Amino acid sequence: MALASLLILLTAVGYAVLCAVKPFAPCRKCSGIGIRTRRRTVTVCRRCHGNRARLRIGRRLLNNSRSIHAAGTRPHATDRKATPWQ
């Protein structure tokens, strides 16, 4: 049981490090080419929009949690105390 928990923890930490070091991965739909061919037509990949890369799920979660934290801890203009000289 302890070995399985350690393995899961190491896998999660490894993926977190991978997301921090290399946040983009090749697009799975177009194999990192940026275009797709369908029945004699060449179109731009809908998933990556021709950028050839996509943001990893772990990095997307990290960015989302950072923005939520920043929005919750940012001081608002209505929270400031009024000073006599204003």
Side-chain angles (χ1 to χ4, degrees):
M1 186 71 172
L3 183 62
S5 298
L6 182 64
L7 184 63
I8 291 171
L9 181 67
L10 286 176
T11 304
V13 168
Y15 184 69
V17 169
L18 179 67
C19 288
V21 173
K22 193 175 176 186
F24 293 97
C27 179
R28 291 178 297 189
K29 199 70 157 177
C30 65
S31 301
I33 297 172
I35 57 171
R36 296 191 60 209
T37 56
R38 286 197 249 157
R39 295 190 213 147
R40 300 183 191 175
T41 61
V42 178
T43 59
V44 176
C45 178
R46 291 188 306 173
R47 183 173 287 177
C48 68
H49 304 289
N51 293 332
R52 301 179 182 179
R54 62 172 178 82
L55 196 60
R56 292 183 192 270
I57 295 171
R59 186 60 181 217
R60 191 173 295 135
L61 290 172
L62 179 66
N63 291 348
N64 193 14
S65 65
R66 282 183 180 175
S67 66
I68 289 172
H69 176 72
T73 58
R74 187 176 302 135
H76 297 285
T78 57
D79 294 342
R80 294 186 205 148
K81 293 181 180 178
T83 57
W85 56 85
Q86 282 183 342

